[in-house]
Amino acid sequence: MALTDEQLERYSRHITLKEIGVRGQKKLLSSRILIIGAGGLGSPAAMYLAAAGVGTIGIADSDKVELSNLQRQIIHTTEDIGKSKAASAEDTINALNPDVTVNTYEIRVNSTNILDLIKDYDFIIDGTDNFAAKFLINDACVLAKKPFSHAGILRFTGQLMTCVPDKSPCYRCIFEAPPPKDTVPTCREAGVIGAMAGIIGTMQALEAIKYITGQGELLTGFMLTFDGLKNEWRKIKLPERVKHCAVCGEHPAITVPVDFEETECELCKE
């Protein structure tokens, strides 16, 4: 496909980059990225992916916009309170870039629908707020061979990693199982600085763009952490794929997605 004059202008700063150029921009325009969770992490990720010209963006979220969301979930506005988060995100993306097709899924993602949900997408972004969802996304993406970005935030800290199945350790290789209920603080209890969602969510968008265009080094095999109070980044080398991992190991015990009891993540969007 040939880029229109309007697209050449809109994406001119991408096209100027030797790592992207016209060819890379065409890859973005042809790509399909699913964001599960239109909250603190999903909001900036969705907006930067839309601005970048990702051709199709899926938004999966069953919640409605609440006043307390607006401190960090920047894809929503005061006028959106009470509206479906997926619909609110779609409106913002449509206003930002008409090149983008938005697919909305106003559903609670679970073991019965996740494989069908992710099957047509090139890259998955985990913007969820609880361990049950994070393990479910990990397991489904590994089983379906879908690359994905995990991230979480709490107080003034954040973390992210990228998993490419068969090429890097998965989330379950690092965190074997969800923690017992009520053993970790939630962001509702401990708080989170809103800007941290922007920092980490935008990094997730960058990982997706690098994967689609085939440029740079992904956070595969690494956990990147950020301490906002100290302005310190740490890139932590992760263990190799764990042979006894329940989903990607040599003898996997998990062969289909499984629902876990929901416990809010200590590094989350809420």
Side-chain angles (χ1 to χ4, degrees):
M1 65 175 178
L3 299 184
T4 66
D5 290 343
E6 183 176 326
Q7 288 174 326
L8 288 170
E9 181 176 356
R10 179 184 289 271
Y11 307 118
S12 61
R13 301 306 188 272
H14 274 179
I15 294 169
T16 300
L17 295 169
K18 64 180 179 61
E19 294 88 352
I20 305 296
V22 170
R23 182 171 180 172
Q25 190 59 52
K26 288 181 178 181
K27 288 182 179 180
L28 290 170
L29 287 164
S30 299
S31 67
R32 299 172 59 88
I33 296 176
L34 174 67
I35 301 171
I36 303 179
L41 295 168
S43 289
M47 293 177 74
Y48 269 100
L49 290 173
V54 168
T56 301
I57 296 177
I59 304 288
D61 199 309
S62 63
D63 291 341
K64 297 185 182 301
V65 180
E66 299 178 1
L67 180 60
S68 62
N69 300 150
L70 303 183
Q71 166 254 11
R72 64 206 173 279
Q73 299 181 20
I74 59 170
I75 206 165
H76 314 299
T77 70
T78 302
E79 292 183 355
D80 295 321
I81 292 173
K83 183 188 294 187
S84 154
K85 285 187 179 181
S88 171
E90 180 181 22
D91 290 343
T92 300
I93 292 171
N94 286 338
L96 178 62
N97 190 350
D99 280 346
V100 181
T101 297
V102 184
N103 298 330
T104 59
Y105 308 93
E106 296 180 18
I107 58 173
R108 192 168 190 81
V109 178
N110 58 42
S111 63
T112 64
N113 60 30
I114 190 168
L115 289 178
D116 189 57
L117 184 65
I118 68 177
K119 68 179 181 180
D120 294 325
Y121 289 92
D122 304 311
F123 192 92
I124 314 300
I125 288 181
D126 171 10
T128 60
D129 65 349
N130 63 84
F131 284 112
K134 291 184 180 301
F135 277 89
L136 175 66
I137 292 168
N138 174 83
D139 296 351
C141 286
V142 170
L143 292 170
K145 309 299 184 186
K146 296 289 183 177
F148 71 96
S149 169
H150 151 79
I153 54 175
L154 177 73
R155 301 188 180 99
F156 288 86
T157 62
Q159 68 179 39
L160 72 155
M161 62 177 281
T162 295
C163 174
V164 178
D166 295 333
K167 295 183 179 180
S168 68
C170 74
Y171 183 72
R172 191 180 286 277
C173 288
I174 312 307
F175 307 103
E176 186 173 346
K181 189 175 182 179
D182 299 327
T183 59
V184 294
T186 69
C187 285
R188 187 174 285 107
E189 297 164 343
V192 60
I193 193 71
M196 186 58 63
I199 293 168
I200 302 301
T202 302
M203 291 291 291
Q204 288 186 282
L206 180 59
E207 286 292 281
I209 290 169
K210 289 191 298 181
Y211 177 82
I212 295 299
T213 59
Q215 296 298 318
E217 297 180 3
L218 295 171
L219 287 170
T220 48
F222 292 91
M223 180 77 76
L224 186 65
T225 68
F226 180 59
D227 183 330
L229 287 178
K230 297 179 179 179
N231 278 331
E232 289 182 353
W233 290 94
R234 291 184 62 207
K235 188 176 181 182
I236 303 165
K237 182 74 170 73
L238 299 176
E240 298 296 325
R241 288 173 58 200
V242 176
K243 292 182 179 180
H244 61 266
C245 176
V247 69
C248 76
E250 294 180 350
H251 304 286
I254 298 173
T255 57
V256 294
V258 178
D259 289 315
F260 299 89
E261 182 179 6
E262 183 172 304
T263 56
E264 278 194 288
C265 178
E266 87 279 15
L267 291 168
C268 64
K269 70 177 175 64
E270 292 293 326

